[in-house]
Amino acid sequence: MRIALFEDNNEHALMLVSSVEKWAVQNGKKAVITRFSSAFEAKELSSFDCLFLDVEMPGMDGVEFAREIRSSGSSIPIVFISSYTEYSIDGYEVNALRFIDKNASDFKRRLFECMDKTAYEVENSLNANYHIRSNHKLVSIPLHEIVLFEVHDHYIVVHAFSGVFKERKTFSALKAELPKQFVQIGRSQVINVLQATQITKSTVVLRNGVKLSVAPNYSSSLFEAFLDMR
């Protein structure tokens, strides 16, 4: 999960980064945080999965920034983390996931609960993207458009409706990043079970017409995932 953190206070930023990293380790997730000190530093937000906003920021406050984001048509998950709790009502206006008080005695618990919800929203949202560095540029592919991941040598090959992309990454790192609709069917293949149209004990047919073999030790988990996502 790629998080854009907007926080101009160094101490608070370090506290948040440390807390999110602890949540990620505890839950077997990967969280990459990019920090910005003001709204004006961020030129492009489409590569992020969610935003953490402070209310009081130089130049443009977090609430105003969130309104601007929503007016652009973006539905990216937004979390306010601030000591200015009087602004919490404004979170409803921009459909924020949570408003967390920095000074709360149970801050860690609240943040961890928020991260659980944020991860769920990101992993199950049609707006969620898989970010890949292909041909020296960052490409964001909507998760629901991805059909299949394959491993070739030290590269991951992504098969999506928009094309085929390749990046250098380990298979274990890939699986740690993917939400539950992506299921392993063999030593080097992971499919999007939402793109499966037919499943047997030994084969799966994907929406793009591709028919793949399913290894015996992955058959049960594939069936369970297929039924669970329907």
Side-chain angles (χ1 to χ4, degrees):
M1 181 163 53
R2 293 175 180 264
I3 301 170
L5 169 63
F6 291 83
E7 173 59 72
D8 62 321
N9 183 291
N10 289 331
E11 182 180 350
H12 290 163
L14 289 173
M15 176 186 68
L16 286 167
V17 170
S18 175
S19 297
V20 171
E21 289 176 345
K22 289 177 181 177
W23 170 87
V25 171
Q26 181 174 306
N27 290 274
K29 302 286 187 180
K30 182 178 180 180
V32 179
I33 303 172
T34 302
R35 181 196 169 192
F36 302 96
S37 296
S38 74
F40 302 112
E41 289 185 10
K43 304 299 181 183
E44 178 57 58
L45 296 175
S46 62
S47 62
F48 295 103
D49 296 309
C50 65
L51 309 180
F52 281 6
L53 302 182
D54 189 10
V55 170
E56 288 293 311
M57 295 190 298
M60 179 186 295
D61 67 53
V63 175
E64 184 182 356
F65 185 36
R67 290 191 184 114
E68 187 174 283
I69 292 168
R70 290 294 184 245
S71 66
S72 71
S74 174
S75 58
I76 188 170
I78 293 175
V79 176
F80 285 107
I81 301 181
S82 176
S83 55
Y84 293 86
T85 55
E86 63 268 25
Y87 287 95
S88 60
I89 191 67
D90 293 298
Y92 292 103
E93 180 187 337
V94 294
N95 195 30
L97 282 180
R98 290 284 174 88
F99 192 108
I100 303 177
D101 182 358
K102 290 179 182 177
N103 299 320
S105 58
D106 58 347
F107 171 81
K108 181 179 177 181
R109 179 188 64 79
R110 294 188 185 191
L111 181 65
F112 275 36
E113 288 179 353
C114 176
M115 288 301 303
D116 289 340
K117 181 175 177 58
T118 303
Y120 179 85
E121 290 290 328
V122 169
E123 292 173 359
N124 292 280
S125 171
L126 290 178
N127 296 311
N129 294 310
Y130 179 78
H131 309 290
I132 182 171
R133 289 197 175 277
S134 181
N135 295 324
H136 306 291
K137 63 181 180 181
L138 182 66
V139 179
S140 294
I141 311 168
L143 283 176
H144 66 278
E145 292 187 4
I146 296 175
V147 179
L148 167 71
F149 289 95
E150 290 186 294
V151 178
H152 290 291
D153 296 325
H154 298 291
Y155 288 87
I156 299 295
V157 180
V158 186
H159 298 264
F161 293 129
S162 55
V164 178
F165 307 88
K166 185 171 73 171
E167 72 171 338
R168 192 174 182 88
K169 179 181 290 186
T170 65
F171 197 32
S172 59
L174 170 71
K175 291 189 293 182
E177 295 178 7
L178 296 177
K180 63 181 180 180
Q181 70 259 37
F182 289 90
V183 181
Q184 187 170 357
I185 63 168
R187 291 185 61 187
S188 61
Q189 292 177 318
V190 171
I191 67 163
N192 183 351
V193 75
L194 296 177
Q195 297 295 340
T197 59
Q198 181 181 332
I199 290 178
T200 69
K201 289 184 177 181
S202 59
T203 62
V204 57
V205 178
L206 301 176
R207 202 174 299 279
N208 61 356
V210 173
K211 185 176 183 179
L212 301 170
S213 297
V214 178
N217 51 323
Y218 295 107
S219 180
S220 295
S221 59
L222 176 60
F223 265 106
E224 291 174 4
F226 183 77
L227 295 174
D228 185 52
M229 298 299 292
R230 290 306 188 271

